[in-house]
């Protein structure tokens, strides 16, 4: 069974990380793993249609390869965060090497005149040292599972729509792997949020 909502005890145990945000009507849509040609463009077009803002946690190597998309993200009033240079897994490397990959992504951001809103670890995998030392780390409260081929788009929507509450930080992916689900669920999520009078904001 896929778990779409982070159990409440997890943020309570790790309060230095941002899992959700105090909000009146705000929901925070986030997109990991881009920018990706055509797919990120699709996301930006959908967001623009609904006058929604979002946050893109970008992989540094993709930022290097797709500078024009980075510019469109920023021009649309969206924010960008660090998702490491190479989608690095904190559980499979020492902390110094992992941090170096994060910093390499920050260097790319600086070269492209991108101000990072913060950091999201790939796969949501965290370590004790990361928790103690890193600042502005964003996790999430709602995981769509758009990358999971064993789920159906309708099942994702059935599970996720009831979880869209003020303050929620929602993860989707502007990646090739996720696109079959993303192209179905994103317009529905945006329409639902509009109907509920939620304010879709960037982190």
């Amino acid at each position: 069974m896929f778990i779409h909502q982070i159990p409440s005890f997890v943020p309570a145990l790790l309060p230095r990380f941002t899992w959700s945000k105090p909000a009146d009507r705000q929901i925070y849509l986030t997109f990991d793993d881009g920018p990706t040609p055509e797919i990120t463009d699709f996301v930006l077009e959908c967001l623009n249609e609904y006058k929604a803002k979002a946050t893109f946690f970008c992989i540094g190597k993709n930022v290097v390869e797709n500078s024009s998309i980075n510019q469109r993200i920023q021009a649309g009033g969206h924010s960008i965060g660090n998702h490491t240079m190479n989608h690095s897994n904190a559980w499979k490397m020492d902390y110094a090497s992992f941090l170096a990959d994060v910093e390499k992504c920050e260097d790319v951001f600086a070269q492209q005149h991108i101000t990072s809103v913060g950091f999201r670890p790939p796969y949501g995998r965290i370590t004790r040292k990361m928790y103690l030392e890193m600042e502005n780390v964003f996790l999430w409260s709602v995981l769509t599972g758009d990358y999971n081929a064993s789920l159906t788009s309708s099942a994702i929507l059935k599970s996720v729509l009831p979880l869209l509450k003020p303050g929620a930080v929602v993860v989707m992916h502007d990646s090739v792997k996720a696109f079959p689900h993303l192209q179905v669920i994103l317009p529905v999520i945006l329409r639902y949020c509009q109907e509920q009078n939620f304010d879709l904001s960037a982190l």
Side-chain angles (χ1 to χ4, degrees):
M1 179 180 177
F2 190 89
I3 299 175
H4 292 278
Q5 185 174 39
I6 294 295
S8 59
F9 71 86
V10 177
L13 289 173
L14 302 169
R16 288 192 70 241
F17 293 159
T18 298
W19 302 85
S20 60
K21 297 190 72 174
D24 181 15
R25 303 296 301 171
Q26 290 77 28
I27 286 179
Y28 303 89
L29 300 184
T30 67
F31 299 87
D32 288 6
D33 296 354
T36 310
E38 298 184 10
I39 298 170
T40 305
D41 293 323
F42 165 81
V43 172
L44 292 172
E45 289 169 7
C46 290
L47 294 172
N48 183 61
E49 181 180 349
Y50 286 88
K51 298 180 173 58
K53 305 303 179 188
T55 302
F56 293 79
F57 286 96
C58 295
I59 298 172
K61 64 181 182 181
N62 291 345
V63 170
V64 171
E65 295 170 0
N66 301 288
S67 60
S68 63
I69 303 178
N70 310 326
Q71 293 167 11
R72 289 196 289 277
I73 292 172
Q74 294 182 99
H78 310 291
S79 58
I80 296 178
N82 185 323
H83 202 47
T84 75
M85 188 68 188
N86 297 289
H87 205 257
S88 296
N89 186 336
W91 292 0
K92 293 185 176 181
M93 57 200 304
D94 63 80
Y95 181 70
S97 298
F98 182 79
L99 190 60
D101 203 62
V102 174
E103 292 172 346
K104 189 179 294 185
C105 184
E106 285 296 324
D107 291 342
V108 167
F109 281 14
Q111 293 163 13
Q112 302 243 0
H113 307 290
I114 296 169
T115 300
S116 176
V117 69
F119 173 68
R120 173 173 283 162
Y123 314 101
R125 291 180 178 173
I126 57 178
T127 65
R128 175 175 173 79
K129 200 165 183 65
M130 185 191 303
Y131 181 73
L132 294 173
E133 297 191 10
M134 295 186 74
E135 302 292 334
N136 297 322
V137 177
F138 291 89
L139 277 298
W140 57 79
S141 55
V142 179
L143 181 64
T144 61
D146 53 357
Y147 55 86
N148 191 329
S150 69
L151 300 173
T152 65
S153 297
S154 59
I156 290 172
L157 289 167
K158 183 178 180 180
S159 296
V160 167
L161 292 182
L163 303 178
L164 299 179
K165 307 292 184 183
V169 175
V170 183
V171 179
M172 287 174 274
H173 296 78
D174 51 335
S175 67
V176 172
K177 184 178 182 180
F179 192 55
H181 286 323
L182 181 68
Q183 63 184 326
V184 176
I185 70 171
L186 178 57
V188 177
I189 287 172
L190 289 168
R191 184 166 61 250
Y192 175 83
C193 288
Q194 183 184 68
E195 291 168 351
Q196 299 299 315
N197 294 315
F198 292 138
D199 179 10
L200 294 171
S201 304
L203 292 168

